[in-house]
Amino acid sequence: MASTIISECTKSAFKIKTFIKKLLDISRIESGKVVLATDKVIIDYIVEESVESAVADKSRVIVDYGTEEKRAMYADEGWLLEALINVISNCYEHINQKKDGMVYIDISSNSEVCMVTISDNGDGIQDCDIAGIFDRFMSRKSQDEFHAGIGLNLSKLIIEAHHGNIRAGNSDKYGGAQFKIILPLYKFKGKL
C-alpha cells in the first residue's frame, strides 16, 4: 500500500515537473530569450529518438522513411526533438486504449523542405476543435488526467521558430488525427 502511494506521488511529481518545464519553455520562446542552434542534423534520427522518448510500445508506431537517404537539415536538435515528442505523444495517447491503435509517421523531402506527417487511426479531431488545437490550455481530457493542453502549443512555437509550419486535421488514409510539419532545410540565424 505504502509503495503504491509513493509510486503515484512520484508519477504526479514528474507530471508537475514536466508541466512547469513546458510552461517555462513557452515563456522563454515568446519573450525572445531562446537562441536556436543551427547545427546540421539528420531529421530521420531525430524522428527515431522522438519515437523512443514518446512511445511505450514501439510496435504501435510505423515510420516510413521513403526511398531517400538520411535527410540533413539545419536545426536545433534539442528543441526540434521536444516538438516532435509532443506531437507523437499526443497521437499515441489517443490510440493507446484502442486494441489495434497505431501511429504512422511519414518523412519526405524535396530540395527546399522536409515534411513529417504524423497520423493515427484513433477517433480523429472534431471539426470544431481543429481551429484551436494549437491554442494553449486546449484539452478535451479531464483535469483528473492532468492534461493541460500545452504540448501542441509548444510544438507549434518551436516549429515556427525553425521557420516551418504545422497543420492539424484528420487523415483520409488512417482515419484519425493528422499533423503535417514542414521544415526548411536551409540554415537560419537569430533568436526565436
Side-chain angles (χ1 to χ4, degrees):
M1 170 103 170
S3 64
T4 303
I5 293 171
I6 291 171
S7 176
E8 289 301 316
C9 288
T10 303
K11 287 179 189 175
S12 294
F14 181 76
K15 286 180 180 178
I16 291 168
K17 178 184 169 191
T18 302
F19 174 75
I20 291 170
K21 182 194 176 305
K22 286 182 181 180
L23 278 177
L24 290 172
D25 286 345
I26 288 169
S27 295
R28 288 175 50 218
I29 290 170
E30 288 182 335
S31 68
K33 301 292 183 192
V34 174
V35 178
L36 291 179
T38 56
D39 301 324
K40 189 173 185 179
V41 298
I42 306 295
I43 190 68
D44 305 63
Y45 297 148
I46 294 174
V47 169
E48 286 175 21
E49 192 174 338
S50 299
V51 170
E52 285 293 318
S53 298
V55 176
D57 183 357
K58 312 301 181 275
S59 69
R60 299 182 79 181
V61 179
I62 296 173
V63 182
D64 181 358
Y65 295 99
T67 57
E68 296 188 34
E69 294 293 318
K70 304 294 184 203
R71 292 159 195 87
M73 65 181 296
Y74 293 92
D76 188 303
E77 184 173 354
W79 282 107
L80 197 51
L81 185 67
E82 175 76 23
L84 292 175
I85 288 171
N86 288 333
V87 177
I88 294 167
S89 295
N90 188 281
C91 287
Y92 185 72
E93 285 176 18
H94 286 88
I95 58 98
N96 198 21
Q97 302 302 319
K98 193 175 176 182
K99 183 179 177 183
D100 61 344
M102 296 292 292
V103 174
Y104 304 91
I105 304 172
D106 297 307
I107 307 171
S108 61
S109 62
N110 59 32
S111 62
E112 295 180 10
V113 296
C114 176
M115 293 144 295
V116 180
T117 304
I118 303 167
S119 309
D120 64 57
N121 65 349
D123 296 332
I125 305 168
Q126 294 179 4
D127 290 340
C128 61
D129 292 335
I130 290 176
I133 195 85
F134 297 109
D135 292 350
R136 193 167 314 147
F137 306 119
M138 171 68 172
S139 179
R140 291 183 302 154
K141 302 269 184 172
S142 72
Q143 286 189 334
D144 295 336
E145 298 175 41
F146 200 79
H147 289 274
I150 59 173
L152 290 177
N153 177 252
L154 178 58
S155 291
K156 184 176 192 285
L157 291 172
I158 293 168
I159 290 163
E160 288 176 347
H162 281 85
H163 304 284
N165 66 58
I166 180 171
R167 292 173 294 177
N170 289 304
S171 170
D172 293 332
K173 186 174 182 181
Y174 303 114
Q178 178 172 277
F179 297 89
K180 288 188 177 191
I181 300 167
I182 299 174
L183 294 161
L185 299 175
Y186 57 83
K187 195 169 190 173
F188 61 94
K189 295 180 180 181
K191 289 186 176 186
L192 296 184

